[in-house]
């Protein structure tokens, strides 16, 4: 059990965390024909949008209630109601995700009441789902905001039914914020390989995978989980929950529909992939496909090939809790040592970390701990680059945002094949840092040549 060490300083230096509203917006961006609207100032939304655009390298539909000085002090209720009306009128979305920010939370805005007032004032937009969620910046992180948004989506869109198993080949997947677009695509293919049909919530593998479309511009999300599919989640045969941060969402879905669930902290290591594969085999009644068997054997061979480079390696990590536990377990399974671990927030997940302690802090804390422990590799988002350079060790980019590395959003980590590629990438990072001992050359080695070049030289 890891010791959780709380922050000792009064401010963040080189902050690690992304805010809860950004996490909520990311969850809504995984729904089809949807648009997130942050209840706050224009700067609150613009700041998050910049990171989304730099990370995914795509246009991001994101709206704001544009609170200014007057509405902040007096009343911003009309901003929300008229903002919802304008979006419904101009963009015609199926879903609007309404998330709060620190500004509206400090003001005491009751967004659920405002949604009711919008319904009463504009009944013609009753077919548009509006999902309110409280996500203040001053608490939590991207992961917790993402989880709160998913819980609100299930609460709003999944009806209370008792028809579990009616769609006997359909399975639900609750996907944590630690999963990339590439991970989602891998998981869908993994499930489909057993003849099952996945409904992924949210499906950023369909909406934020970097594909081109015919339309020049759209104010809504392209791709993602359709509203009609979310409404059928109560008829699935099972729910697969990936990430412990989604426990409350999983509890809500199970209590509302009676669909049994199977929970996984992550799908990064060999053991985790085996557990997920066996669950799919049990649910489908089918044997494991030959393709997966071969990929598993290839991963085992890669473990042997990279053992001498990765065994006993000293690793320092800074990520959101779900992601931190997943990658720490992966490194521990290789025989590596977690010498420094930093999380932006406290979570029950952290006590199961395979290391002595976890700091609740920022990237400055990571850099200091990694330097003191003589870490050989840093694992963090793009903000960790300067610290890695100062320490003179490589950086493995993971998490959000990744703005100095093309394709970080699409990289797949989960499953046998992708774990194998991660092993190769890690081994190459360590090989790139390896320096051969220079050949020793005696000072007397070149004496005959020197004597010929300088006939008057006296040799002793």
């Amino acid at each position: 059990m890891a010791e959780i060490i709380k922050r000792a300083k009064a401010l963040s230096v080189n902050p690690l965390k992304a805010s809860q509203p950004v996490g909520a917006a990311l969850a809504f961006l995984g729904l089809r024909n949807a648009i997130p609207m942050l209840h706050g100032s224009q700067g609150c939304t613009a700041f998050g949008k910049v990171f989304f655009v730099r990370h995914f390298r795509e246009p991001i539909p994101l709206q704001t209630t544009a609170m200014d000085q007057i509405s902040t002090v007096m009343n911003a209720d009309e901003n929300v109601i008229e903002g919802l009306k304008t979006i419904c009128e101009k963009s015609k979305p199926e879903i609007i995700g309404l998330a709060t920010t620190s500004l509206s939370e400090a003001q005491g805005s009751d967004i659920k009441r405002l949604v009711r007032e919008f319904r009463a004032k504009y009944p013609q937009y009753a077919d548009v789902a509006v999902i309110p969620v409280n996500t203040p910046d001053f608490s939590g992180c991207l992961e917790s905001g993402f989880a709160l948004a998913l819980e609100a989506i299930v609460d709003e869109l999944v009806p209370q039914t008792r028809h579990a198993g009616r769609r006997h080949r359909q399975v639900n997947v609750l996907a944590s914020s630690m999963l990339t677009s590439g991970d989602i695509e891998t998981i869908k293919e993994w499930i489909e390989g057993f003849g099952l049909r996945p409904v992924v919530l949210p499906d950023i593998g369909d909406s934020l995978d970097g594909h081109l479309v015919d339309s020049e511009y759209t104010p809504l999300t392209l791709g993602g989980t359709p509203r009609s599919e979310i409404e059928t989640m109560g008829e699935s045969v099972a729910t697969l929950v990936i990430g412990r941060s989604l426990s409350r969402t999983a509890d809500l879905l199970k209590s509302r529909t009676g669909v049994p669930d199977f929970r996984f902290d992550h799908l990064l290591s060999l053991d985790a992939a085996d557990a997920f594969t066996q669950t799919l085999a049990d649910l489908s009644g089918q044997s494991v496909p030959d393709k997966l068997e071969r990929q598993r054997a290839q991963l085992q061979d890669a473990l042997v090939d990279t053992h001498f480079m990765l065994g006993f390696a000293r690793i320092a990590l800074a990520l959101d809790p779900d992601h931190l536990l997943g990658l720490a377990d992966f490194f521990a399974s290789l025989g590596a040592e977690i010498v420094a671990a930093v999380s932006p927030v406290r979570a029950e997940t952290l006590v199961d970390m395979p290391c002595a302690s976890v700091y609740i802090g920022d990237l400055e804390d990571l850099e200091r701990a990694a330097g003191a422990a003589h870490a050989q590799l840093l694992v963090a988002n793009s903000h960790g680059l300067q610290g890695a350079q100062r320490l003179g060790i490589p950086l493995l980019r993971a998490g959000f945002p990744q703005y100095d590395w093309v394709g970080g959003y699409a990289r797949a980590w989960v499953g046998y094949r992708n774990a194998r590629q991660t092993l190769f990438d890690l081994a190459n990072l360590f090989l790139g840092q390896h320096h051969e001992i220079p050949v020793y050359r005696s000072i007397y080695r070149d004496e005959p040549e020197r004597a010929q070049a300088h006939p008057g030289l006296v040799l002793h």
Side-chain angles (χ1 to χ4, degrees):
M1 180 179 291
E3 178 189 6
I4 311 302
I5 302 175
K6 296 181 179 180
R7 178 193 302 271
K9 55 190 180 185
L11 51 81
S12 290
V13 180
N14 196 1
L16 167 62
K17 84 166 190 174
S19 67
Q20 284 199 126
V22 170
L26 179 60
F28 291 126
L29 289 170
L31 308 182
R32 182 169 298 178
N33 293 326
I35 185 168
M37 182 171 75
L38 303 187
H39 184 25
S41 69
Q42 288 181 312
C44 296
T45 302
F47 188 76
K49 188 166 184 171
V50 166
F51 278 112
F52 278 134
V53 170
R54 295 182 74 189
H55 180 82
F56 291 105
R57 300 178 185 270
E58 297 292 331
I60 299 294
L62 197 59
Q63 288 292 339
T64 176
T65 57
M67 292 174 64
D68 57 15
Q69 297 93 325
I70 296 175
S71 61
T72 299
V73 175
M74 303 301 292
N75 192 328
D77 291 359
E78 199 65 20
N79 293 51
V80 175
I81 296 171
E82 292 304 311
L84 291 172
K85 181 246 184 185
T86 301
I87 292 176
C88 291
E89 186 177 67
K90 293 186 175 181
S91 303
K92 297 178 173 55
E94 291 185 41
I95 301 170
I96 300 175
L98 177 61
T100 60
T101 63
S102 287
L103 187 59
S104 53
E105 286 285 341
Q107 187 193 53
S109 180
D110 184 352
I111 55 172
K112 293 183 179 180
R113 173 182 60 83
L114 296 178
V115 171
R116 291 194 298 269
E117 291 185 11
F118 165 74
R119 295 294 189 199
K121 189 173 182 179
Y122 299 106
Q124 64 268 37
Y125 302 121
D127 59 325
V128 178
V130 180
I131 304 174
V133 55
N134 293 94
T135 52
D137 305 69
F138 48 72
S139 66
C141 61
L142 181 145
E143 178 182 290
S144 58
F146 187 96
L148 287 169
L150 243 62
E151 186 178 355
I153 291 168
V154 169
D155 189 40
E156 184 72 26
L157 299 182
V158 179
Q160 291 195 7
T161 59
R162 282 296 183 270
H163 302 304
R166 175 179 288 181
R167 302 182 181 224
H168 63 280
R169 306 304 293 177
Q170 177 174 295
V171 293
N172 306 323
V173 180
L174 296 181
S176 167
S177 60
M178 67 177 165
L179 298 173
T180 66
S181 300
D183 287 333
I184 299 296
E185 290 186 343
T186 299
I187 291 168
K188 285 160 53 173
E189 292 173 1
W190 203 342
I191 294 170
E192 290 165 354
F194 286 87
L196 299 171
R197 178 177 173 274
V199 176
V200 182
L201 181 67
D203 190 353
I204 64 170
D206 190 42
S207 62
L208 293 171
D209 64 341
H211 60 278
L212 293 175
V213 294
D214 294 333
S215 57
E216 294 183 3
Y217 167 77
T218 174
L220 306 175
T221 54
L222 291 168
T225 314
R227 178 178 174 179
S228 58
E229 293 283 279
I230 300 173
E231 292 170 349
T232 68
M233 292 178 75
E235 301 177 9
S236 298
V237 67
T239 299
L240 306 173
V241 186
I242 305 169
R244 206 181 298 182
S245 63
L246 302 184
S247 294
R248 283 182 48 177
T249 306
D251 291 340
L252 175 62
L253 181 61
K254 187 175 182 179
S255 66
R256 179 163 289 211
T257 64
V259 176
D261 59 43
F262 301 86
R263 306 188 185 193
F264 307 88
D265 286 340
H266 57 85
L267 303 178
L268 294 171
S269 64
L270 177 63
D271 289 343
D274 283 348
F276 192 73
T277 299
Q278 187 58 55
T279 299
L280 294 177
D282 294 341
L283 289 173
S284 65
Q286 297 183 12
S287 58
V288 178
D290 292 341
K291 181 175 71 172
L292 282 180
E293 294 280 12
R294 178 166 178 77
Q295 290 175 5
R296 187 179 189 276
Q298 290 173 329
L299 173 57
Q300 288 177 307
D301 181 70
L303 286 166
V304 175
D305 293 343
T306 59
H307 171 70
F308 290 102
M309 285 160 275
L310 303 180
F312 302 106
R314 302 174 67 79
I315 313 295
L317 307 97
L319 298 159
D320 284 358
D322 276 359
H323 210 171
L324 190 67
L325 176 63
L327 278 175
D329 280 350
F330 175 74
F331 283 115
S333 72
L334 308 179
E337 183 183 359
I338 309 301
V339 297
V342 177
S343 170
V345 295
R346 188 185 183 97
E348 63 176 22
T349 310
L350 301 178
V351 299
D352 294 327
M353 284 282 293
C355 58
S357 60
V358 179
Y359 289 90
I360 308 300
D362 51 36
L363 290 169
E364 182 190 57
D365 298 320
L366 175 72
E367 185 178 342
R368 289 178 175 176
H374 306 291
Q376 297 171 285
L377 175 71
L378 219 61
V379 183
N381 59 35
S382 290
H383 294 310
L385 178 60
Q386 290 78 14
Q389 291 173 338
R390 284 189 290 268
L391 293 171
I393 59 176
L395 171 70
L396 177 66
R397 291 165 179 80
F400 176 92
Q402 296 180 42
Y403 48 79
D404 64 336
W405 198 257
V406 178
Y409 70 92
R411 173 174 180 158
W413 300 75
V414 302
Y416 302 114
R417 175 179 292 172
N418 299 317
R420 179 195 187 204
Q421 185 59 52
T422 301
L423 287 177
F424 293 153
D425 293 342
L426 287 168
N428 287 325
L429 281 175
F430 280 105
L431 286 175
Q433 290 294 111
H434 180 71
H435 302 288
E436 296 287 348
I437 298 174
V439 176
Y440 172 75
R441 296 184 183 277
S442 170
I443 60 173
Y444 302 107
R445 178 179 181 273
D446 298 327
E447 293 300 347
E449 291 80 355
R450 291 170 59 197
Q452 293 176 5
H454 304 281
L457 182 65
V458 178
L459 299 178
H460 299 284

